[in-house]
Amino acid sequence: MRRFVAHRRWAPAVAVVLCAAAFVAYDVGPAHDARPAWAEPVRNATIVIDQGATRKGFATPEVTVSGGGEVTVVNLDSMDHTVTSVADGPDGLPVFDVRVKAGTTATVPGVAALAAGEWAFYCKFHPSMRGVLTVVGGGGGVEPERPSFEQPLVVPPTKRGADIRLVMRRSLVRTMPDGPRTSMWTYDGTYPGPTIRRRGGQGTKVTFVNRLPRAAGSMSTHLHGDHHEPQHDGQPTTHLIRPGRSRTYDYPLTVDGRPEPGSFFWYHDHRMDRTARNNWRGLQGMFIVTDPPTPGLRLPTGARDVPLMISERSFRADNQLTDPFAHGPRMVGHHGEMAWVGPHAPPDDATVGDTVLVNGRHAPYLGVSATRYRLRLLNSSPFSSYNLTLSDGRPFLQIGTGSGLLPRATVRTSVLLGPAQRADVIVDFSGATGRRLVLESVPAAPGLTGDDARETAVMEFRVGARARDTSRLPARLPSPKLVSPVPTRVARTWTFGLDGNDRHGTFWSINGRAFDPERVDHRARLGTVERWRFRNTSDVTHYVHIHAQQWRTLRRDGKAPPPWERGLEDTWRLEPGEEVEVAARFTDYTGAFMIHCHMLDHEDHGMMARFDVMP
Ligand code: C2O
Ligand code: CU
């Protein structure tokens, strides 16, 4: 089996090789050598991890070693880190991988066997820490696996009825191109679960039956992005779906008496403290609210409208999911609130998979005609961000968020999506007949202060012949109305941070507190418009998601939001130090709703708050 997580880039490497070689040579070269250090190949090299590495990355992100040499890792930080190759070997495991405990030194295994070239590496616990190990001269015979796309993309079965029944059960599903199938917790036997397609205004009832192993406990399903009553929202601690029982959720697909706009929603488990685990095991599916018929709007449809759920997992050699939650942090009471202790307590609780799946399959390919396609992109990963590009630089025309069309289509060469974020894009494959284009994720644009995107191939498009294409791309899109006017006063500031202490444990916090389902953190009145502000005082990125309503983004760091953030939105990237302001009118429903970070470990470990809409 071939499994890959990355693409190596050769072109920009040369400059890196030269300066890294000089740097490392001075560092470890013999002290009394009169010859210029840069002229000498570097036999052994050192990767240094300094204090604050989760923020600052590796102190030596570029390291060069001569073939057959040795690489030592010195960890001066107070946290454990790993040096893990991005590239996998033939066994599907990283080519090198070493955990370096706080304050210790370790040797990277297998370096002497590496072929000459560049080997990207990262820290599994803190994936924004990344570097490149360059092997120069005659190295060993180990080459990374090249991307290969061996299985076709599968689009999950579609359900279109007004009454839908989905049985949650354990099933064997195909994830890898060969070897055993993977045992997952599924909605109705597939991962992702069936894609539900309904027109706005078509009331829809979905009954979820819990036939999962009893030990999995009660479940709660949230239709992410949709507007419905609180008892149908997938509450974290109430209205649960107990083992052996079922619950029917009622989704009218209306807002304020009108049909919901065309949207790309998704449904997933939302059980308190178990959301990351339950999603990892497979409880995820897509839900498309189709566009109302609009004269002049002819977007690609049918087989040319493809939902793509990108999500990552880690697998054992027998294709079974690893269990990153088996030794998770322990919850402790702390002044009536919760905190977490143990080696994976916040901020060391990032669940990152090493294998990327699209619609549940690793490295799939899709045959396309040389025409326009509508791709609905969803990142349902627990933690990682993807900055999506096409390998030939072909742009995406972004026409919508997951929450409706944008007022104007916007051309993008890369689309950054964090957990739960969606983008509705058109790709025109004309002119690419006979070519294979790779959808890949590349490190995000410089200027990002928070966590970077993964570097990995995602899937392949095999472009066939031209075909009849009647789609049209209007410059102005029939996008949903945004709330206006908006108050100038901020009704609520939500501050995302990290709190706790060594004695009592740590927690991800909103306004200094960990989630308490009994505590109401804000009250908003039905029918009013509120302006909310998010702030991030921690040193990592968060993705803020609000239930109940769709929002208008007013400001990002005091400025007008970028063009792709000018439609309705429910999940925002929030960099360290950033401030985002949003507004919405509270309509239709009173009761309890959630605001939380959609990095699922953060959500499970405190970063959630409750707001109530009052009559
Ligand atoms: Cu997608 Cu509160 O979740
Ligand atoms: Cu977060």
Side-chain angles (χ1 to χ4, degrees):
M1 176 204 340
R2 290 162 162 220
R3 184 182 301 164
F4 64 86
V5 291
H7 235 21
R8 288 201 294 166
R9 280 196 163 59
W10 294 92
V14 184
V16 170
V17 174
L18 295 176
C19 44
F23 173 75
V24 176
Y26 272 118
D27 227 29
V28 300
H32 305 293
D33 198 332
R35 289 168 302 175
W38 50 265
E40 197 61 23
V42 189
R43 179 93 197 133
N44 299 319
T46 308
I47 296 173
V48 180
I49 301 170
D50 217 338
Q51 288 285 332
T54 52
R55 238 178 10 263
K56 295 185 288 202
F58 289 100
T60 53
E62 290 154 7
V63 172
T64 298
V65 65
S66 59
E70 195 168 270
V71 177
T72 306
V73 189
V74 180
N75 183 1
L76 306 172
D77 197 12
S78 49
M79 286 187 204
D80 295 2
H81 297 281
T82 76
V83 171
T84 305
S85 67
V86 168
D88 286 346
D91 56 358
L93 298 172
V95 173
F96 55 84
D97 184 16
V98 61
R99 179 175 181 153
V100 196
K101 288 207 180 324
T104 68
T105 296
T107 302
V108 182
V111 168
L114 297 180
E118 280 176 60
W119 296 84
F121 62 85
Y122 70 111
C123 169
K124 284 199 292 197
F125 305 146
H126 311 96
S128 62
M129 293 173 61
R130 49 182 76 231
V132 178
L133 171 67
T134 303
V135 178
V136 293
V142 173
E143 296 266 5
E145 286 291 294
R146 291 283 163 189
S148 69
F149 300 90
E150 296 172 8
Q151 54 181 341
L153 179 86
V154 171
V155 175
T158 303
K159 299 242 183 207
R160 301 176 188 272
D163 250 302
I164 293 170
R165 188 180 144 94
L166 299 178
V167 178
M168 291 184 261
R169 59 170 194 258
R170 189 161 59 184
S171 306
L172 287 173
V173 298
R174 166 75 42 215
T175 54
M176 293 299 152
D178 42 42
R181 289 180 296 163
T182 306
S183 172
M184 295 183 81
W185 294 353
T186 68
Y187 291 115
D188 232 40
T190 63
Y191 173 73
T195 301
I196 300 173
R197 274 188 191 254
R198 297 285 289 165
R199 168 100 40 93
Q202 291 183 322
T204 306
K205 289 188 166 52
V206 186
T207 301
F208 291 91
V209 186
N210 184 353
R211 298 240 176 87
L212 291 164
R214 281 201 95 77
S218 297
M219 297 290 151
S220 192
T221 312
H222 173 56
L223 178 50
H224 181 122
D226 186 52
H227 176 65
H228 42 243
E229 289 201 67
Q231 64 266 36
H232 301 298
D233 196 42
Q235 297 283 343
T237 59
T238 62
H239 304 91
L240 303 177
I241 317 165
R242 304 198 180 283
R245 308 288 278 277
S246 69
R247 172 169 296 278
T248 301
Y249 294 85
D250 192 348
Y251 308 126
L253 305 188
T254 55
V255 182
D256 214 6
R258 283 189 298 274
E260 258 175 2
S263 316
F264 181 30
F265 296 151
W266 62 300
Y267 57 98
H268 63 80
D269 187 73
H270 213 290
R271 181 78 175 98
M272 165 126 163
D273 302 324
R274 295 279 178 268
T275 298
R277 181 198 70 176
N278 294 352
N279 278 262
W280 179 270
R281 291 297 192 93
L283 293 173
Q284 305 186 316
M286 297 178 274
F287 193 121
I288 293 172
V289 181
T290 55
D291 298 313
T294 313
L297 184 72
R298 294 210 306 253
L299 299 172
T301 57
R304 296 184 193 159
D305 174 1
V306 191
L308 297 174
M309 187 176 98
I310 300 168
S311 205
E312 57 183 49
R313 300 288 184 273
S314 291
F315 294 87
R316 307 187 317 222
D318 62 355
N319 286 357
Q320 300 312 307
L321 290 169
T322 62
D323 185 2
F325 310 99
H327 308 287
R330 204 161 44 79
M331 193 194 282
V332 291
H334 159 45
H335 302 308
E337 285 200 354
M338 291 164 248
W340 283 262
V341 293
H344 301 290
D348 291 324
D349 53 352
T351 302
V352 176
D354 58 19
T355 303
V356 182
L357 309 176
V358 184
N359 293 351
R361 300 254 176 143
H362 176 55
Y365 64 84
L366 176 67
V368 294
S369 53
T371 57
R372 284 188 278 259
Y373 278 72
R374 179 180 193 174
L375 306 179
R376 305 185 191 240
L377 306 168
L378 156 67
N379 176 2
S380 73
S381 295
F383 195 85
S384 297
S385 303
Y386 288 78
N387 188 36
L388 299 167
T389 61
L390 287 162
S391 53
D392 68 344
R394 191 170 295 257
F396 305 101
L397 183 70
Q398 186 172 353
I399 56 169
T401 61
S403 313
L405 295 172
L406 288 165
R408 277 177 170 282
T410 173
V411 176
R412 304 183 71 185
T413 50
S414 67
V415 174
L416 177 63
L417 294 179
Q421 289 193 305
R422 290 95 70 208
D424 195 347
V425 302
I426 306 282
V427 173
D428 190 343
F429 291 107
S430 51
T433 298
R435 301 227 302 269
R436 294 179 172 200
L437 308 184
V438 179
L439 179 69
E440 51 193 3
S441 173
V442 298
L448 283 187
T449 48
D451 297 2
D452 206 343
R454 297 202 55 157
E455 184 172 359
T456 181
V458 175
M459 65 171 287
E460 185 182 64
F461 294 101
R462 300 183 176 173
V463 188
R466 287 213 311 237
R468 201 172 114 84
D469 189 354
T470 56
S471 70
R472 291 281 169 279
L473 303 177
R476 262 190 192 287
L477 297 163
S479 65
K481 290 237 172 334
L482 301 178
V483 61
S484 170
V486 293
T488 48
R489 189 183 73 87
V490 174
R492 188 62 165 139
T493 296
W494 302 97
T495 301
F496 293 77
L498 176 68
D499 276 278
N501 57 50
D502 289 345
R503 215 145 57 93
H504 294 113
T506 49
F507 55 93
W508 294 104
S509 65
I510 299 183
N511 296 343
R513 310 176 87 173
F515 177 59
D516 177 348
E518 304 300 327
R519 189 185 66 229
V520 182
D521 297 295
H522 179 67
R523 289 185 170 82
R525 205 158 285 288
L526 189 69
T528 60
V529 179
E530 289 203 353
R531 183 184 188 113
W532 287 3
R533 176 187 288 152
F534 319 134
R535 294 169 57 227
N536 181 356
T537 55
S538 74
D539 54 23
V540 297
T541 302
H542 299 288
Y543 285 91
V544 179
H545 170 50
I546 311 178
H547 291 206
Q549 303 290 151
Q550 287 291 342
W551 295 70
R552 170 181 181 179
T553 311
L554 300 170
R555 325 282 295 156
R556 180 171 276 283
D557 281 329
K559 295 194 284 282
W564 53 88
E565 239 176 12
R566 294 190 187 166
L568 292 175
E569 191 54 86
D570 58 52
T571 311
W572 298 262
R573 183 177 175 94
L574 190 64
E575 299 282 10
E578 259 196 324
E579 270 194 20
V580 172
E581 286 182 16
V582 301
R585 181 189 307 280
F586 294 93
T587 58
D588 301 314
Y589 311 117
T590 56
F593 294 98
M594 302 297 138
I595 172 172
H596 62 89
C597 177
H598 221 291
M599 295 157 118
L600 299 180
D601 298 293
H602 294 183
E603 173 183 344
D604 280 344
H605 301 152
M607 199 170 254
M608 179 149 70
R610 166 180 165 180
F611 66 93
D612 281 19
V613 182
M614 313 297 292

